[in-house]
């Protein structure tokens, strides 16, 4: 049986309810939401709203309209970053960020639109909020931090960094790609102005889904203008939420599936979290017991998402991930689109192997995986 330990890239398998909801959207109310007044179009619009409300409930957003449907987490991060910044702004992010933050910021910096400071994590893999504070300038307009590293799984002190942002008045963006659906998230308690997330990872929705929470009173420049089905006589993009940021036909089947994923997660979050933590702990301990394994993830299970990152002897990460793939075990080697994290770990050349668990994995799979790794030593 194939073993899927690549859930940090996208979750698999999706609950049956997710697949059924996506199929239902394409068969029972396959119409353009928010455009027409006929039965199917109204049902489609209700579905888009229903998913928005479920997402808002999961993150404790004060208003469902402040949750914008996006096409993935990268899309949400682009909207948050490009929509927030002005010429001359200074931005603080961390070296742990994914390229969907790093490249957006580095491109703006290369065009001399902004200046950028990338704060390194401490040697234990966690960012020190004091180091964020030390990087502040009077031009700092945005602080961006990943909720959990997609390389090591290390859960960052995002609430404490939120306090730093609040005190200095900078906007605060959290990249929740490896957190939402895998642990409780409360955007109000985190004091963030923006929280970006994918729908296709721990929320268990289809690919092509994601979202951005935007706090009340925060106005972004939209990335796209176009049809919204509202205020059609105006040449200008409507101001209202969510239309201001949602131009064009949305991914209705994806959003319907995402709604079912949110319902599944809302009902089962405590069990999912415990199960994934225990699986990852078994992986970690099994690997730690083998001579010749280098581990890069935090040792304490409460400090990491369901990710265990390692290397085997002096093999390259792709040798290991290829050998596992031949045994039908899916993991990810290489740099995981997060070169800064690998620079810090000293693995920029060989990369590292990332095993990431999900709600449907089992302890038998962990045992088989450990056996397969042991055979490489
Ligand atoms: C931390 C982090 N941020 C952003 C992304 C981008 O997510 P998406 O593929 O949904 O655009 C990922 C994807 O792996 C991620 O791990």
């Amino acid at each position: 049986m194939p073993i899927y330990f690549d859930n940090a890239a996208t979750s698999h398998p999706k609950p049956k309810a997710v697949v059924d909801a996506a199929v239902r959207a394409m068969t029972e109310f396959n119409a353009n939401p928010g455009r027409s007044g006929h039965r199917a179009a109204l049902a489609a619009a209700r579905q888009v709203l229903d998913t928005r409300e479920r997402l808002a409930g999961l993150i404790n957003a004060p208003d469902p309209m402040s949750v914008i449907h996006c096409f993935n987490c990268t899309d949400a991060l682009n909207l948050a970053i490009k929509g927030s910044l002005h010429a001359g702004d200074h931005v603080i992010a961390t070296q742990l960020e994914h390229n969907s933050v790093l490249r957006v910021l580095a491109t703006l910096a290369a065009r001399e639109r902004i200046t950028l400071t990338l704060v390194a994590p401490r040697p234990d893999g966690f960012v020190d909020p004091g180091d964020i504070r030390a990087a502040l300038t009077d031009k700092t307009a945005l602080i961006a931090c990943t909720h959990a590293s997609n390389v090591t799984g290390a859960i960052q002190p995002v609430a404490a960094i939120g306090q730093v942002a609040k005190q200095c008045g900078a906007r605060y963006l959290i990249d929740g790609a490896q957190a939402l659906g895998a642990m409780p998230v409360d955007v109000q308690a985190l004091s963030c102005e923006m929280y970006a997330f994918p729908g296709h990872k721990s929320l268990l929705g289809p690919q092509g889904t994601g979202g951005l929470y935007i706090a009340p009173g925060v106005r972004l420049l939209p990335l796209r203008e176009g049809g919204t089905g509202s205020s059609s006589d105006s040449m200008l993009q409507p101001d209202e939420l969510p239309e201001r940021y949602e131009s064009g036909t949305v991914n209705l089947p994806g959003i319907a599936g995402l709604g079912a994923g949110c319902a599944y997660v809302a009902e089962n979050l405590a069990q999912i979290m415990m199960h994934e933590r225990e699986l990852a702990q078994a992986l970690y301990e099994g690997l730690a017991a083998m001579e010749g394994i280098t581990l890069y993830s935090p040792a304490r299970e409460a400090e990491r998402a369901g990710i265990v990152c390692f290397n085997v002897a002096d093999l390259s990460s792709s040798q290991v991930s290829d050998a596992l793939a031949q045994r039908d075990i899916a993991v990810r080697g290489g740099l995981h689109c997060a070169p800064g994290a690998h620079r810090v770990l000293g693995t920029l050349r060989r990369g590292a192997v990332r095993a990431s668990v999900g709600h449907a994995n089992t302890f038998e799979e962990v045992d088989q995986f450990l056996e397969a790794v042991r055979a490489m030593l």
Side-chain angles (χ1 to χ4, degrees):
M1 285 286 278
I3 297 176
Y4 188 80
F5 279 169
D6 198 15
N7 288 277
T10 199
S11 54
H12 175 78
K14 309 297 182 188
K16 183 172 180 304
V18 169
V19 179
D20 289 349
V23 170
R24 214 175 312 118
M26 285 183 287
T27 49
E28 293 178 19
F29 48 93
N30 184 30
N32 206 322
R35 303 302 197 262
S36 315
H38 55 82
R39 189 194 58 79
L42 292 177
R46 253 194 312 276
Q47 174 64 71
V48 173
L49 175 62
D50 178 75
T51 300
R52 204 186 303 284
E53 288 174 343
R54 287 182 190 280
L55 288 166
L58 270 179
I59 60 174
N60 193 29
D63 176 5
M65 296 308 158
S66 62
V67 179
I68 306 305
H69 286 302
C70 299
F71 300 122
N72 47 45
C73 193
T74 304
D75 189 38
L77 289 163
N78 268 269
L79 171 57
I81 295 170
K82 292 178 183 160
S84 286
L85 295 175
H86 300 95
D89 283 343
H90 173 244
V91 179
I92 302 173
T94 82
Q95 294 198 1
L96 297 177
E97 302 314 310
H98 190 273
N99 273 339
S100 53
V101 170
L102 285 182
R103 283 182 174 165
V104 182
L105 291 172
T107 302
L108 291 172
R111 291 181 187 149
E112 298 183 352
R113 296 264 308 154
I114 61 161
T115 53
L116 175 62
T117 304
L118 294 178
V119 170
R122 295 181 310 234
D124 63 2
F126 299 93
V127 173
D128 184 338
D131 291 339
I132 302 278
R133 189 190 305 280
L136 290 169
T137 74
D138 57 358
K139 294 215 162 57
T140 306
L142 179 70
I143 297 173
C145 185
T146 187
H147 198 149
S149 163
N150 69 310
V151 175
T152 64
I155 300 170
Q156 299 302 316
V158 280
I161 296 172
Q163 290 310 307
V164 175
K166 206 170 171 180
Q167 283 156 18
C168 76
R171 260 184 205 175
Y172 182 34
L173 164 64
I174 300 176
D175 174 357
Q178 299 298 338
L180 186 55
M183 59 193 79
V185 172
D186 180 334
V187 290
Q188 298 187 61
L190 292 173
S191 306
C192 61
E193 275 74 32
M194 297 173 290
Y195 193 98
F197 58 89
H200 62 97
K201 297 189 199 265
S202 292
L203 290 180
L204 306 174
Q207 295 183 14
T209 59
L212 180 67
Y213 159 73
I214 306 172
V218 172
R219 246 174 92 84
L220 308 177
L221 206 63
L223 285 190
R224 287 180 279 272
E225 288 80 25
T228 57
S230 61
S231 311
S232 295
D233 59 338
S234 169
M235 289 282 278
L236 295 176
Q237 191 71 7
D239 258 341
E240 294 79 45
L241 296 180
E243 290 90 337
R244 180 170 169 79
Y245 308 111
E246 285 181 7
S247 288
T249 303
V250 295
N251 174 6
L252 178 68
I255 288 172
L258 177 57
C262 289
Y264 182 89
V265 167
E267 229 166 82
N268 301 292
L269 182 58
Q271 295 96 296
I272 293 173
M273 201 170 118
M274 203 195 318
H275 182 59
E276 291 180 357
R277 270 193 187 176
E278 286 174 357
L279 287 168
Q281 190 62 12
L283 268 177
Y284 187 95
E285 285 174 5
L287 290 168
M290 292 180 210
E291 214 163 298
I293 298 291
T294 309
L295 279 155
Y296 305 105
S297 294
R300 279 199 288 270
E301 63 177 270
E303 293 183 346
R304 66 172 126 75
I307 289 175
V308 177
C309 185
F310 65 98
N311 269 318
V312 179
D314 56 2
L315 300 176
S316 74
S317 62
S318 52
Q319 282 174 306
V320 176
S321 54
D322 289 351
L324 290 171
Q326 279 180 5
R327 298 176 74 148
D328 231 347
I329 299 175
V331 295
R332 182 161 168 203
L335 299 182
H336 316 97
C337 300
H342 282 279
R343 196 170 295 115
V344 170
L345 295 172
T347 49
L348 207 46
R349 200 181 50 81
R350 73 195 292 214
V353 185
R354 180 182 72 182
S356 49
V357 296
H359 70 118
N361 287 126
T362 64
F363 288 96
E364 291 74 53
E365 290 177 326
V366 170
D367 289 343
Q368 287 169 37
F369 170 84
L370 292 173
E371 201 42 59
V373 174
R374 207 171 285 119
M376 280 181 233
L377 286 164

